[in-house]
Amino acid sequence: MQKRSPSLSLSSYGAGWSANRRIAIVAAIVAVLLAVATVVAWLSGGNNGQQAPDTAAPAPAPSTSSSEAAPKPAAGSGSVPHPPRIAEPVAYAKAAAQMLWSYDTRTTSRDQQLAGMRAWMTSETKYADWASVVGQVPDPVLWSRMADQDQHATGTALEGHYPGAFKQALTEDPSAITKAYIYVVTVNGKQQIAWKKGGVGAEARAVTLAVQCRPSHDCSLAAIAPSVTQ
């Protein structure tokens, strides 16, 4: 039996949104969801409900440096794609999910991975929960181990949608979103992983994202929810 390689699952590391960013994001989303109890239960959840198939490699422990600062632009972005110029929330969320589920330790350092991911974030610091994104990336030691195995992965977003509660709230009060223009989008897809000596794996993926799409502006990523809401 072939030895499995440790895998990077860029949708299952988040331990939760940071307190300061959570307050700002909750303030924007609560006005849309119209139900404080639902929002608190959603944002405080710690498990995204995913279950990896037997063929997939096991996920490593979360990074211990989820609050670290973004790397300097000079670090480059390696294999991380540049954010697309998309003004539609669901389309941008699908692109962001594919970015989060894709990596290549053969050509990209951990700092480059973080720098590339940072470029997708909103520039409005009040709503940008960088810690929720950093929390998706393994610590430097684990990243090095993955690089030793030439581990890389490709994500595919199969579909994206607004969760039911979010859609209902928008229908009931369309103007409620006009303060922050943050949309909640859930994306479902898959991740294919490969490493040395023909090692392969595949996992179903799902993630709920907060995406900011102000009128006449391209969308950007605000945060990654700690649990998936369908």
Side-chain angles (χ1 to χ4, degrees), residues 135-162:
Q136 308 300 300
V137 181
D139 61 47
V141 173
L142 183 52
W143 187 275
S144 178
R145 288 175 53 200
M146 293 163 55
D148 290 341
Q149 295 297 319
D150 292 341
Q151 192 162 311
H152 53 285
T154 301
T156 302
L158 300 177
E159 71 87 29
H161 63 274
Y162 299 122

mmCIF file with all atom_site columns, all heavy atoms in Angstrom, residues 135-162:
data_model
loop_
_atom_site.group_PDB
_atom_site.id
_atom_site.type_symbol
_atom_site.label_atom_id
_atom_site.label_alt_id
_atom_site.label_comp_id
_atom_site.label_asym_id
_atom_site.label_entity_id
_atom_site.label_seq_id
_atom_site.pdbx_PDB_ins_code
_atom_site.Cartn_x
_atom_site.Cartn_y
_atom_site.Cartn_z
_atom_site.occupancy
_atom_site.B_iso_or_equiv
_atom_site.pdbx_formal_charge
_atom_site.auth_seq_id
_atom_site.auth_comp_id
_atom_site.auth_asym_id
_atom_site.auth_atom_id
_atom_site.pdbx_PDB_model_num
ATOM 1   N N   . GLY A 1 135 ? -5.694  31.239 8.378   1.00 0.00 ? 135 GLY A N   1
ATOM 2   C CA  . GLY A 1 135 ? -5.985  30.019 9.116   1.00 0.00 ? 135 GLY A CA  1
ATOM 3   C C   . GLY A 1 135 ? -6.205  28.806 8.246   1.00 0.00 ? 135 GLY A C   1
ATOM 4   O O   . GLY A 1 135 ? -6.278  27.679 8.740   1.00 0.00 ? 135 GLY A O   1
ATOM 5   N N   . GLN A 1 136 ? -6.315  29.014 6.926   1.00 0.00 ? 136 GLN A N   1
ATOM 6   C CA  . GLN A 1 136 ? -6.488  27.899 6.010   1.00 0.00 ? 136 GLN A CA  1
ATOM 7   C C   . GLN A 1 136 ? -5.154  27.273 5.591   1.00 0.00 ? 136 GLN A C   1
ATOM 8   O O   . GLN A 1 136 ? -5.142  26.221 4.951   1.00 0.00 ? 136 GLN A O   1
ATOM 9   C CB  . GLN A 1 136 ? -7.204  28.380 4.732   1.00 0.00 ? 136 GLN A CB  1
ATOM 10  C CG  . GLN A 1 136 ? -8.481  29.146 4.967   1.00 0.00 ? 136 GLN A CG  1
ATOM 11  C CD  . GLN A 1 136 ? -9.519  28.333 5.696   1.00 0.00 ? 136 GLN A CD  1
ATOM 12  O OE1 . GLN A 1 136 ? -9.946  27.287 5.204   1.00 0.00 ? 136 GLN A OE1 1
ATOM 13  N NE2 . GLN A 1 136 ? -9.935  28.778 6.855   1.00 0.00 ? 136 GLN A NE2 1
ATOM 14  N N   . VAL A 1 137 ? -4.048  27.919 5.904   1.00 0.00 ? 137 VAL A N   1
ATOM 15  C CA  . VAL A 1 137 ? -2.745  27.503 5.391   1.00 0.00 ? 137 VAL A CA  1
ATOM 16  C C   . VAL A 1 137 ? -1.925  26.807 6.474   1.00 0.00 ? 137 VAL A C   1
ATOM 17  O O   . VAL A 1 137 ? -1.835  27.306 7.606   1.00 0.00 ? 137 VAL A O   1
ATOM 18  C CB  . VAL A 1 137 ? -1.969  28.728 4.850   1.00 0.00 ? 137 VAL A CB  1
ATOM 19  C CG1 . VAL A 1 137 ? -0.618  28.310 4.286   1.00 0.00 ? 137 VAL A CG1 1
ATOM 20  C CG2 . VAL A 1 137 ? -2.802  29.436 3.774   1.00 0.00 ? 137 VAL A CG2 1
ATOM 21  N N   . PRO A 1 138 ? -1.311  25.676 6.172   1.00 0.00 ? 138 PRO A N   1
ATOM 22  C CA  . PRO A 1 138 ? -0.502  24.956 7.163   1.00 0.00 ? 138 PRO A CA  1
ATOM 23  C C   . PRO A 1 138 ? 0.666   25.808 7.659   1.00 0.00 ? 138 PRO A C   1
ATOM 24  O O   . PRO A 1 138 ? 1.101   26.743 6.979   1.00 0.00 ? 138 PRO A O   1
ATOM 25  C CB  . PRO A 1 138 ? 0.003   23.732 6.390   1.00 0.00 ? 138 PRO A CB  1
ATOM 26  C CG  . PRO A 1 138 ? -0.959  23.566 5.268   1.00 0.00 ? 138 PRO A CG  1
ATOM 27  C CD  . PRO A 1 138 ? -1.398  24.936 4.897   1.00 0.00 ? 138 PRO A CD  1
ATOM 28  N N   . ASP A 1 139 ? 1.188   25.463 8.813   1.00 0.00 ? 139 ASP A N   1
ATOM 29  C CA  . ASP A 1 139 ? 2.333   26.183 9.356   1.00 0.00 ? 139 ASP A CA  1
ATOM 30  C C   . ASP A 1 139 ? 3.576   25.911 8.505   1.00 0.00 ? 139 ASP A C   1
ATOM 31  O O   . ASP A 1 139 ? 3.587   25.013 7.659   1.00 0.00 ? 139 ASP A O   1
ATOM 32  C CB  . ASP A 1 139 ? 2.558   25.825 10.820  1.00 0.00 ? 139 ASP A CB  1
ATOM 33  C CG  . ASP A 1 139 ? 2.858   24.350 11.023  1.00 0.00 ? 139 ASP A CG  1
ATOM 34  O OD1 . ASP A 1 139 ? 3.698   23.798 10.279  1.00 0.00 ? 139 ASP A OD1 1
ATOM 35  O OD2 . ASP A 1 139 ? 2.260   23.738 11.926  1.00 0.00 ? 139 ASP A OD2 1
ATOM 36  N N   . PRO A 1 140 ? 4.650   26.698 8.697   1.00 0.00 ? 140 PRO A N   1
ATOM 37  C CA  . PRO A 1 140 ? 5.838   26.557 7.840   1.00 0.00 ? 140 PRO A CA  1
ATOM 38  C C   . PRO A 1 140 ? 6.448   25.154 7.836   1.00 0.00 ? 140 PRO A C   1
ATOM 39  O O   . PRO A 1 140 ? 6.921   24.681 6.796   1.00 0.00 ? 140 PRO A O   1
ATOM 40  C CB  . PRO A 1 140 ? 6.811   27.582 8.426   1.00 0.00 ? 140 PRO A CB  1
ATOM 41  C CG  . PRO A 1 140 ? 5.926   28.635 9.024   1.00 0.00 ? 140 PRO A CG  1
ATOM 42  C CD  . PRO A 1 140 ? 4.760   27.881 9.581   1.00 0.00 ? 140 PRO A CD  1
ATOM 43  N N   . VAL A 1 141 ? 6.444   24.487 8.981   1.00 0.00 ? 141 VAL A N   1
ATOM 44  C CA  . VAL A 1 141 ? 7.035   23.152 9.046   1.00 0.00 ? 141 VAL A CA  1
ATOM 45  C C   . VAL A 1 141 ? 6.251   22.173 8.181   1.00 0.00 ? 141 VAL A C   1
ATOM 46  O O   . VAL A 1 141 ? 6.832   21.392 7.409   1.00 0.00 ? 141 VAL A O   1
ATOM 47  C CB  . VAL A 1 141 ? 7.100   22.650 10.501  1.00 0.00 ? 141 VAL A CB  1
ATOM 48  C CG1 . VAL A 1 141 ? 7.557   21.192 10.546  1.00 0.00 ? 141 VAL A CG1 1
ATOM 49  C CG2 . VAL A 1 141 ? 8.040   23.523 11.328  1.00 0.00 ? 141 VAL A CG2 1
ATOM 50  N N   . LEU A 1 142 ? 4.945   22.196 8.301   1.00 0.00 ? 142 LEU A N   1
ATOM 51  C CA  . LEU A 1 142 ? 4.120   21.282 7.517   1.00 0.00 ? 142 LEU A CA  1
ATOM 52  C C   . LEU A 1 142 ? 4.198   21.612 6.035   1.00 0.00 ? 142 LEU A C   1
ATOM 53  O O   . LEU A 1 142 ? 4.245   20.712 5.185   1.00 0.00 ? 142 LEU A O   1
ATOM 54  C CB  . LEU A 1 142 ? 2.674   21.323 8.005   1.00 0.00 ? 142 LEU A CB  1
ATOM 55  C CG  . LEU A 1 142 ? 1.705   20.363 7.322   1.00 0.00 ? 142 LEU A CG  1
ATOM 56  C CD1 . LEU A 1 142 ? 2.245   18.942 7.331   1.00 0.00 ? 142 LEU A CD1 1
ATOM 57  C CD2 . LEU A 1 142 ? 0.335   20.426 7.973   1.00 0.00 ? 142 LEU A CD2 1
ATOM 58  N N   . TRP A 1 143 ? 4.221   22.906 5.705   1.00 0.00 ? 143 TRP A N   1
ATOM 59  C CA  . TRP A 1 143 ? 4.351   23.275 4.288   1.00 0.00 ? 143 TRP A CA  1
ATOM 60  C C   . TRP A 1 143 ? 5.653   22.709 3.718   1.00 0.00 ? 143 TRP A C   1
ATOM 61  O O   . TRP A 1 143 ? 5.705   22.225 2.590   1.00 0.00 ? 143 TRP A O   1
ATOM 62  C CB  . TRP A 1 143 ? 4.313   24.789 4.135   1.00 0.00 ? 143 TRP A CB  1
ATOM 63  C CG  . TRP A 1 143 ? 4.284   25.234 2.704   1.00 0.00 ? 143 TRP A CG  1
ATOM 64  C CD1 . TRP A 1 143 ? 5.360   25.403 1.879   1.00 0.00 ? 143 TRP A CD1 1
ATOM 65  C CD2 . TRP A 1 143 ? 3.127   25.545 1.917   1.00 0.00 ? 143 TRP A CD2 1
ATOM 66  N NE1 . TRP A 1 143 ? 4.951   25.798 0.622   1.00 0.00 ? 143 TRP A NE1 1
ATOM 67  C CE2 . TRP A 1 143 ? 3.593   25.900 0.619   1.00 0.00 ? 143 TRP A CE2 1
ATOM 68  C CE3 . TRP A 1 143 ? 1.760   25.571 2.180   1.00 0.00 ? 143 TRP A CE3 1
ATOM 69  C CZ2 . TRP A 1 143 ? 2.717   26.277 -0.400  1.00 0.00 ? 143 TRP A CZ2 1
ATOM 70  C CZ3 . TRP A 1 143 ? 0.895   25.944 1.164   1.00 0.00 ? 143 TRP A CZ3 1
ATOM 71  C CH2 . TRP A 1 143 ? 1.375   26.282 -0.103  1.00 0.00 ? 143 TRP A CH2 1
ATOM 72  N N   . SER A 1 144 ? 6.724   22.770 4.515   1.00 0.00 ? 144 SER A N   1
ATOM 73  C CA  . SER A 1 144 ? 8.014   22.230 4.070   1.00 0.00 ? 144 SER A CA  1
ATOM 74  C C   . SER A 1 144 ? 7.929   20.735 3.835   1.00 0.00 ? 144 SER A C   1
ATOM 75  O O   . SER A 1 144 ? 8.493   20.206 2.857   1.00 0.00 ? 144 SER A O   1
ATOM 76  C CB  . SER A 1 144 ? 9.094   22.553 5.109   1.00 0.00 ? 144 SER A CB  1
ATOM 77  O OG  . SER A 1 144 ? 10.338  22.008 4.732   1.00 0.00 ? 144 SER A OG  1
ATOM 78  N N   . ARG A 1 145 ? 7.244   20.020 4.712   1.00 0.00 ? 145 ARG A N   1
ATOM 79  C CA  . ARG A 1 145 ? 7.067   18.575 4.539   1.00 0.00 ? 145 ARG A CA  1
ATOM 80  C C   . ARG A 1 145 ? 6.300   18.274 3.257   1.00 0.00 ? 145 ARG A C   1
ATOM 81  O O   . ARG A 1 145 ? 6.630   17.330 2.522   1.00 0.00 ? 145 ARG A O   1
ATOM 82  C CB  . ARG A 1 145 ? 6.315   17.997 5.738   1.00 0.00 ? 145 ARG A CB  1
ATOM 83  C CG  . ARG A 1 145 ? 7.130   17.931 7.025   1.00 0.00 ? 145 ARG A CG  1
ATOM 84  C CD  . ARG A 1 145 ? 6.265   17.459 8.168   1.00 0.00 ? 145 ARG A CD  1
ATOM 85  N NE  . ARG A 1 145 ? 5.572   16.216 7.856   1.00 0.00 ? 145 ARG A NE  1
ATOM 86  C CZ  . ARG A 1 145 ? 4.487   15.784 8.494   1.00 0.00 ? 145 ARG A CZ  1
ATOM 87  N NH1 . ARG A 1 145 ? 3.965   16.499 9.486   1.00 0.00 ? 145 ARG A NH1 1
ATOM 88  N NH2 . ARG A 1 145 ? 3.925   14.641 8.159   1.00 0.00 ? 145 ARG A NH2 1
ATOM 89  N N   . MET A 1 146 ? 5.282   19.073 2.984   1.00 0.00 ? 146 MET A N   1
ATOM 90  C CA  . MET A 1 146 ? 4.503   18.886 1.761   1.00 0.00 ? 146 MET A CA  1
ATOM 91  C C   . MET A 1 146 ? 5.369   19.151 0.530   1.00 0.00 ? 146 MET A C   1
ATOM 92  O O   . MET A 1 146 ? 5.281   18.444 -0.472  1.00 0.00 ? 146 MET A O   1
ATOM 93  C CB  . MET A 1 146 ? 3.281   19.804 1.782   1.00 0.00 ? 146 MET A CB  1
ATOM 94  C CG  . MET A 1 146 ? 2.268   19.432 2.853   1.00 0.00 ? 146 MET A CG  1
ATOM 95  S SD  . MET A 1 146 ? 1.095   20.762 3.206   1.00 0.00 ? 146 MET A SD  1
ATOM 96  C CE  . MET A 1 146 ? 0.441   21.073 1.583   1.00 0.00 ? 146 MET A CE  1
ATOM 97  N N   . ALA A 1 147 ? 6.219   20.189 0.626   1.00 0.00 ? 147 ALA A N   1
ATOM 98  C CA  . ALA A 1 147 ? 7.115   20.498 -0.492  1.00 0.00 ? 147 ALA A CA  1
ATOM 99  C C   . ALA A 1 147 ? 8.096   19.355 -0.743  1.00 0.00 ? 147 ALA A C   1
ATOM 100 O O   . ALA A 1 147 ? 8.451   19.071 -1.887  1.00 0.00 ? 147 ALA A O   1
ATOM 101 C CB  . ALA A 1 147 ? 7.860   21.801 -0.213  1.00 0.00 ? 147 ALA A CB  1
ATOM 102 N N   . ASP A 1 148 ? 8.533   18.699 0.321   1.00 0.00 ? 148 ASP A N   1
ATOM 103 C CA  . ASP A 1 148 ? 9.431   17.552 0.167   1.00 0.00 ? 148 ASP A CA  1
ATOM 104 C C   . ASP A 1 148 ? 8.774   16.442 -0.652  1.00 0.00 ? 148 ASP A C   1
ATOM 105 O O   . ASP A 1 148 ? 9.462   15.642 -1.300  1.00 0.00 ? 148 ASP A O   1
ATOM 106 C CB  . ASP A 1 148 ? 9.825   17.003 1.541   1.00 0.00 ? 148 ASP A CB  1
ATOM 107 C CG  . ASP A 1 148 ? 10.751  17.932 2.298   1.00 0.00 ? 148 ASP A CG  1
ATOM 108 O OD1 . ASP A 1 148 ? 11.372  18.805 1.653   1.00 0.00 ? 148 ASP A OD1 1
ATOM 109 O OD2 . ASP A 1 148 ? 10.844  17.792 3.529   1.00 0.00 ? 148 ASP A OD2 1
ATOM 110 N N   . GLN A 1 149 ? 7.448   16.404 -0.618  1.00 0.00 ? 149 GLN A N   1
ATOM 111 C CA  . GLN A 1 149 ? 6.698   15.388 -1.362  1.00 0.00 ? 149 GLN A CA  1
ATOM 112 C C   . GLN A 1 149 ? 6.161   15.904 -2.700  1.00 0.00 ? 149 GLN A C   1
ATOM 113 O O   . GLN A 1 149 ? 5.368   15.220 -3.353  1.00 0.00 ? 149 GLN A O   1
ATOM 114 C CB  . GLN A 1 149 ? 5.516   14.901 -0.505  1.00 0.00 ? 149 GLN A CB  1
ATOM 115 C CG  . GLN A 1 149 ? 5.916   14.173 0.769   1.00 0.00 ? 149 GLN A CG  1
ATOM 116 C CD  . GLN A 1 149 ? 6.685   12.901 0.473   1.00 0.00 ? 149 GLN A CD  1
ATOM 117 O OE1 . GLN A 1 149 ? 6.339   12.159 -0.449  1.00 0.00 ? 149 GLN A OE1 1
ATOM 118 N NE2 . GLN A 1 149 ? 7.733   12.636 1.245   1.00 0.00 ? 149 GLN A NE2 1
ATOM 119 N N   . ASP A 1 150 ? 6.592   17.133 -3.086  1.00 0.00 ? 150 ASP A N   1
ATOM 120 C CA  . ASP A 1 150 ? 6.114   17.738 -4.344  1.00 0.00 ? 150 ASP A CA  1
ATOM 121 C C   . ASP A 1 150 ? 4.594   17.796 -4.401  1.00 0.00 ? 150 ASP A C   1
ATOM 122 O O   . ASP A 1 150 ? 3.978   17.605 -5.466  1.00 0.00 ? 150 ASP A O   1
ATOM 123 C CB  . ASP A 1 150 ? 6.630   16.957 -5.561  1.00 0.00 ? 150 ASP A CB  1
ATOM 124 C CG  . ASP A 1 150 ? 8.127   17.092 -5.740  1.00 0.00 ? 150 ASP A CG  1
ATOM 125 O OD1 . ASP A 1 150 ? 8.708   18.044 -5.163  1.00 0.00 ? 150 ASP A OD1 1
ATOM 126 O OD2 . ASP A 1 150 ? 8.721   16.257 -6.450  1.00 0.00 ? 150 ASP A OD2 1
ATOM 127 N N   . GLN A 1 151 ? 3.973   18.065 -3.282  1.00 0.00 ? 151 GLN A N   1
ATOM 128 C CA  . GLN A 1 151 ? 2.515   18.012 -3.236  1.00 0.00 ? 151 GLN A CA  1
ATOM 129 C C   . GLN A 1 151 ? 1.890   19.222 -3.916  1.00 0.00 ? 151 GLN A C   1
ATOM 130 O O   . GLN A 1 151 ? 2.344   20.353 -3.750  1.00 0.00 ? 151 GLN A O   1
ATOM 131 C CB  . GLN A 1 151 ? 2.036   17.927 -1.783  1.00 0.00 ? 151 GLN A CB  1
ATOM 132 C CG  . GLN A 1 151 ? 0.562   17.590 -1.674  1.00 0.00 ? 151 GLN A CG  1
ATOM 133 C CD  . GLN A 1 151 ? 0.217   17.098 -0.291  1.00 0.00 ? 151 GLN A CD  1
ATOM 134 O OE1 . GLN A 1 151 ? 0.896   16.221 0.252   1.00 0.00 ? 151 GLN A OE1 1
ATOM 135 N NE2 . GLN A 1 151 ? -0.827  17.649 0.298   1.00 0.00 ? 151 GLN A NE2 1
ATOM 136 N N   . HIS A 1 152 ? 0.848   18.966 -4.700  1.00 0.00 ? 152 HIS A N   1
ATOM 137 C CA  . HIS A 1 152 ? 0.132   20.032 -5.376  1.00 0.00 ? 152 HIS A CA  1
ATOM 138 C C   . HIS A 1 152 ? -1.328  19.620 -5.551  1.00 0.00 ? 152 HIS A C   1
ATOM 139 O O   . HIS A 1 152 ? -1.668  18.435 -5.482  1.00 0.00 ? 152 HIS A O   1
ATOM 140 C CB  . HIS A 1 152 ? 0.772   20.344 -6.738  1.00 0.00 ? 152 HIS A CB  1
ATOM 141 C CG  . HIS A 1 152 ? 0.950   19.152 -7.622  1.00 0.00 ? 152 HIS A CG  1
ATOM 142 N ND1 . HIS A 1 152 ? 1.931   18.189 -7.420  1.00 0.00 ? 152 HIS A ND1 1
ATOM 143 C CD2 . HIS A 1 152 ? 0.265   18.751 -8.737  1.00 0.00 ? 152 HIS A CD2 1
ATOM 144 C CE1 . HIS A 1 152 ? 1.860   17.262 -8.358  1.00 0.00 ? 152 HIS A CE1 1
ATOM 145 N NE2 . HIS A 1 152 ? 0.849   17.578 -9.167  1.00 0.00 ? 152 HIS A NE2 1
ATOM 146 N N   . ALA A 1 153 ? -2.179  20.610 -5.740  1.00 0.00 ? 153 ALA A N   1
ATOM 147 C CA  . ALA A 1 153 ? -3.615  20.328 -5.833  1.00 0.00 ? 153 ALA A CA  1
ATOM 148 C C   . ALA A 1 153 ? -4.282  21.319 -6.775  1.00 0.00 ? 153 ALA A C   1
ATOM 149 O O   . ALA A 1 153 ? -3.821  22.456 -6.944  1.00 0.00 ? 153 ALA A O   1
ATOM 150 C CB  . ALA A 1 153 ? -4.264  20.395 -4.456  1.00 0.00 ? 153 ALA A CB  1
ATOM 151 N N   . THR A 1 154 ? -5.376  20.873 -7.354  1.00 0.00 ? 154 THR A N   1
ATOM 152 C CA  . THR A 1 154 ? -6.180  21.708 -8.230  1.00 0.00 ? 154 THR A CA  1
ATOM 153 C C   . THR A 1 154 ? -7.623  21.665 -7.762  1.00 0.00 ? 154 THR A C   1
ATOM 154 O O   . THR A 1 154 ? -8.188  20.581 -7.579  1.00 0.00 ? 154 THR A O   1
ATOM 155 C CB  . THR A 1 154 ? -6.111  21.214 -9.690  1.00 0.00 ? 154 THR A CB  1
ATOM 156 O OG1 . THR A 1 154 ? -4.754  21.232 -10.124 1.00 0.00 ? 154 THR A OG1 1
ATOM 157 C CG2 . THR A 1 154 ? -6.946  22.101 -10.597 1.00 0.00 ? 154 THR A CG2 1
ATOM 158 N N   . GLY A 1 155 ? -8.198  22.838 -7.541  1.00 0.00 ? 155 GLY A N   1
ATOM 159 C CA  . GLY A 1 155 ? -9.588  22.919 -7.109  1.00 0.00 ? 155 GLY A CA  1
ATOM 160 C C   . GLY A 1 155 ? -10.511 23.228 -8.268  1.00 0.00 ? 155 GLY A C   1
ATOM 161 O O   . GLY A 1 155 ? -10.134 23.914 -9.220  1.00 0.00 ? 155 GLY A O   1
ATOM 162 N N   . THR A 1 156 ? -11.715 22.710 -8.187  1.00 0.00 ? 156 THR A N   1
ATOM 163 C CA  . THR A 1 156 ? -12.740 22.972 -9.195  1.00 0.00 ? 156 THR A CA  1
ATOM 164 C C   . THR A 1 156 ? -14.037 23.348 -8.494  1.00 0.00 ? 156 THR A C   1
ATOM 165 O O   . THR A 1 156 ? -14.522 22.599 -7.637  1.00 0.00 ? 156 THR A O   1
ATOM 166 C CB  . THR A 1 156 ? -12.993 21.738 -10.073 1.00 0.00 ? 156 THR A CB  1
ATOM 167 O OG1 . THR A 1 156 ? -11.761 21.343 -10.704 1.00 0.00 ? 156 THR A OG1 1
ATOM 168 C CG2 . THR A 1 156 ? -14.033 22.039 -11.152 1.00 0.00 ? 156 THR A CG2 1
ATOM 169 N N   . ALA A 1 157 ? -14.575 24.501 -8.819  1.00 0.00 ? 157 ALA A N   1
ATOM 170 C CA  . ALA A 1 157 ? -15.855 24.933 -8.264  1.00 0.00 ? 157 ALA A CA  1
ATOM 171 C C   . ALA A 1 157 ? -16.973 24.463 -9.183  1.00 0.00 ? 157 ALA A C   1
ATOM 172 O O   . ALA A 1 157 ? -17.055 24.882 -10.336 1.00 0.00 ? 157 ALA A O   1
ATOM 173 C CB  . ALA A 1 157 ? -15.883 26.450 -8.118  1.00 0.00 ? 157 ALA A CB  1
ATOM 174 N N   . LEU A 1 158 ? -17.814 23.578 -8.672  1.00 0.00 ? 158 LEU A N   1
ATOM 175 C CA  . LEU A 1 158 ? -18.884 23.015 -9.491  1.00 0.00 ? 158 LEU A CA  1
ATOM 176 C C   . LEU A 1 158 ? -20.140 23.876 -9.480  1.00 0.00 ? 158 LEU A C   1
ATOM 177 O O   . LEU A 1 158 ? -20.867 23.942 -10.478 1.00 0.00 ? 158 LEU A O   1
ATOM 178 C CB  . LEU A 1 158 ? -19.212 21.604 -9.013  1.00 0.00 ? 158 LEU A CB  1
ATOM 179 C CG  . LEU A 1 158 ? -18.043 20.609 -9.087  1.00 0.00 ? 158 LEU A CG  1
ATOM 180 C CD1 . LEU A 1 158 ? -18.461 19.266 -8.517  1.00 0.00 ? 158 LEU A CD1 1
ATOM 181 C CD2 . LEU A 1 158 ? -17.549 20.467 -10.523 1.00 0.00 ? 158 LEU A CD2 1
ATOM 182 N N   . GLU A 1 159 ? -20.416 24.511 -8.363  1.00 0.00 ? 159 GLU A N   1
ATOM 183 C CA  . GLU A 1 159 ? -21.578 25.390 -8.297  1.00 0.00 ? 159 GLU A CA  1
ATOM 184 C C   . GLU A 1 159 ? -21.448 26.332 -7.106  1.00 0.00 ? 159 GLU A C   1
ATOM 185 O O   . GLU A 1 159 ? -20.747 26.048 -6.141  1.00 0.00 ? 159 GLU A O   1
ATOM 186 C CB  . GLU A 1 159 ? -22.883 24.588 -8.203  1.00 0.00 ? 159 GLU A CB  1
ATOM 187 C CG  . GLU A 1 159 ? -23.128 23.887 -6.875  1.00 0.00 ? 159 GLU A CG  1
ATOM 188 C CD  . GLU A 1 159 ? -23.826 24.770 -5.844  1.00 0.00 ? 159 GLU A CD  1
ATOM 189 O OE1 . GLU A 1 159 ? -24.590 25.664 -6.240  1.00 0.00 ? 159 GLU A OE1 1
ATOM 190 O OE2 . GLU A 1 159 ? -23.588 24.557 -4.642  1.00 0.00 ? 159 GLU A OE2 1
ATOM 191 N N   . GLY A 1 160 ? -22.112 27.480 -7.203  1.00 0.00 ? 160 GLY A N   1
ATOM 192 C CA  . GLY A 1 160 ? -22.136 28.437 -6.107  1.00 0.00 ? 160 GLY A CA  1
ATOM 193 C C   . GLY A 1 160 ? -23.538 29.010 -5.952  1.00 0.00 ? 160 GLY A C   1
ATOM 194 O O   . GLY A 1 160 ? -24.273 29.133 -6.944  1.00 0.00 ? 160 GLY A O   1
ATOM 195 N N   . HIS A 1 161 ? -23.903 29.346 -4.740  1.00 0.00 ? 161 HIS A N   1
ATOM 196 C CA  . HIS A 1 161 ? -25.249 29.863 -4.513  1.00 0.00 ? 161 HIS A CA  1
ATOM 197 C C   . HIS A 1 161 ? -25.300 30.663 -3.218  1.00 0.00 ? 161 HIS A C   1
ATOM 198 O O   . HIS A 1 161 ? -24.442 30.519 -2.348  1.00 0.00 ? 161 HIS A O   1
ATOM 199 C CB  . HIS A 1 161 ? -26.263 28.719 -4.450  1.00 0.00 ? 161 HIS A CB  1
ATOM 200 C CG  . HIS A 1 161 ? -26.021 27.786 -3.295  1.00 0.00 ? 161 HIS A CG  1
ATOM 201 N ND1 . HIS A 1 161 ? -25.140 26.722 -3.378  1.00 0.00 ? 161 HIS A ND1 1
ATOM 202 C CD2 . HIS A 1 161 ? -26.511 27.769 -2.021  1.00 0.00 ? 161 HIS A CD2 1
ATOM 203 C CE1 . HIS A 1 161 ? -25.122 26.081 -2.210  1.00 0.00 ? 161 HIS A CE1 1
ATOM 204 N NE2 . HIS A 1 161 ? -25.935 26.699 -1.377  1.00 0.00 ? 161 HIS A NE2 1
ATOM 205 N N   . TYR A 1 162 ? -26.323 31.496 -3.089  1.00 0.00 ? 162 TYR A N   1
ATOM 206 C CA  . TYR A 1 162 ? -26.579 32.179 -1.833  1.00 0.00 ? 162 TYR A CA  1
ATOM 207 C C   . TYR A 1 162 ? -27.292 31.209 -0.895  1.00 0.00 ? 162 TYR A C   1
ATOM 208 O O   . TYR A 1 162 ? -28.249 30.551 -1.307  1.00 0.00 ? 162 TYR A O   1
ATOM 209 C CB  . TYR A 1 162 ? -27.469 33.402 -2.042  1.00 0.00 ? 162 TYR A CB  1
ATOM 210 C CG  . TYR A 1 162 ? -26.890 34.461 -2.947  1.00 0.00 ? 162 TYR A CG  1
ATOM 211 C CD1 . TYR A 1 162 ? -27.568 34.862 -4.099  1.00 0.00 ? 162 TYR A CD1 1
ATOM 212 C CD2 . TYR A 1 162 ? -25.670 35.066 -2.650  1.00 0.00 ? 162 TYR A CD2 1
ATOM 213 C CE1 . TYR A 1 162 ? -27.046 35.831 -4.938  1.00 0.00 ? 162 TYR A CE1 1
ATOM 214 C CE2 . TYR A 1 162 ? -25.138 36.045 -3.484  1.00 0.00 ? 162 TYR A CE2 1
ATOM 215 C CZ  . TYR A 1 162 ? -25.829 36.417 -4.629  1.00 0.00 ? 162 TYR A CZ  1
ATOM 216 O OH  . TYR A 1 162 ? -25.317 37.371 -5.453  1.00 0.00 ? 162 TYR A OH  1
#
